[in-house]
Amino acid sequence: MTPSSQPPDRSNGSGRTESRHPISRRTTLQSLGVLFTGVGAGCLGSSGPSSDRIRWRKSIRGQPLLDGGTLYVMGRLTLHALSPTDGSTQWMTEYSESDFDQRLCLGSDIAVDGRRIYVPGCDGLRALRRSDGEQTWFVGSSLRQGVGVGDGQVYANAADLLAIDADSGDIVWRADTGGDRLTKPAATADGVVFTNRVDGLVTAFDSDGDVRWQHRTDTETRGPTVADDTVYVATSTEPGTAGRLLALNRTDGSVRWAVDTPSPKRGTRPVVDGDAVYLGCSGRDHGTLVALDRADGAKRWSFTDENSTVYEPAVTDDMVYAGSNDDHVYALSRTGELRWQIETDSVVGTVVAGEDRLYAANNERLFAIERP
């Protein structure tokens, strides 16, 4: 929609900016239904895949995020809050292309906490209420990647690393990161870890902005994952051919173990669940999903697709699900056996798992797939 005339951006002196487009959007609260509800169905039509497992689909592009009984997806200009059961719309927040100085401004890599949804963009960070999508605050500083949510603070990579008060939107502290190709921060209750993708500098900050430690990999590095007392970082020593996975001590950054892996896909991070670490990788002939022992990095199993990339997986108690460049979603046991697969007619980059359904996004649609 075309926004009404608004006054210029205003700052309250704390670093938080009131956007000149705070309400140039439309929120719809009523249920709008779904495009298809394939319960007990087989074929969904010639424009999409055919499988008895697919329960519904919607023409939405973006990374799905499932939290608290709601499925959130940030499309090009619309944030959707959907029912995971049938895909019906709980609410949506729409923006206009004229709100922004460049196309494709809003990032699909959104984050949530108990009360808010955080939407990164080329013009800054928006915090919206989870209940209805209304904007609560806006920090006007161009972001380079997604955000990390910690205990009462949101961390964002802008020109500096910003620590933002989650309730007020005030900037609590900022730190010079010394680079512009930064990964998504991994936030914890007492700090944050981020990496500079190009030079491989891994930095951990305390929640008050003091540098806790730094570790340099000296090679192209992916985003970190923090689990308990360990920081897991994947590197690409030879892009498309070889990489390494490092486990760093969360307290001082010392290396606990490091093992060779295929080259990790850019934009993905290690996934830690139970006693295993999973990593989606790229290759010239095929993509690979590897499972490693969390204690020492020993390889447990690997799975290869029919194309060049297996993406970051979703892990449940008994299964591992992953999308691929070969237009499939794969379901594997925790020991690596292929249980089933679904063709989606397009690259599947993101999957998330709910209690009884899997949600997969390809370049055209969002699918809900029944889990066994």
Side-chain angles (χ1 to χ4, degrees), residues 186-188 190 193 202 204 212-213 224-233 245-258 270 272 274 277 293-297:
T188 67
D190 60 354
V193 182
V202 186
R212 184 181 300 172
W213 52 261
T225 296
V226 180
D228 298 329
D229 59 354
T230 304
V231 179
Y232 299 90
V233 179
L245 180 64
L246 291 77
L248 307 177
N249 187 305
R250 181 178 164 189
T251 302
D252 59 13
S254 58
V255 179
R256 288 186 162 151
W257 52 258
V272 179
V277 185
D293 192 285
R294 187 172 169 183
D296 57 8

Side-chain angles (χ1 to χ4, degrees), residues 171-224:
I171 296 176
V172 180
W173 55 262
R174 63 175 68 225
D176 183 4
T177 56
D180 59 358
R181 296 187 180 181
L182 307 176
T183 64
K184 178 179 178 178
T188 67
D190 60 354
V192 63
V193 182
F194 80 97
T195 62
N196 187 318
R197 179 169 60 81
V198 175
D199 64 13
L201 183 64
V202 186
T203 306
F205 288 90
D206 291 326
S207 58
D208 58 5
D210 293 334
V211 175
R212 184 181 300 172
W213 52 261
Q214 290 185 319
H215 176 87
R216 188 178 291 276
T217 68
D218 292 321
T219 190
E220 186 171 302
T221 302
R222 308 300 183 236

Side-chain angles (χ1 to χ4, degrees), residues 303-319:
F303 169 81
T304 58
D305 69 357
E306 299 299 325
N307 203 296
S308 61
T309 299
V310 178
Y311 290 88
E312 185 175 311
V315 183
T316 66
D317 289 342
D318 58 348
M319 297 289 287

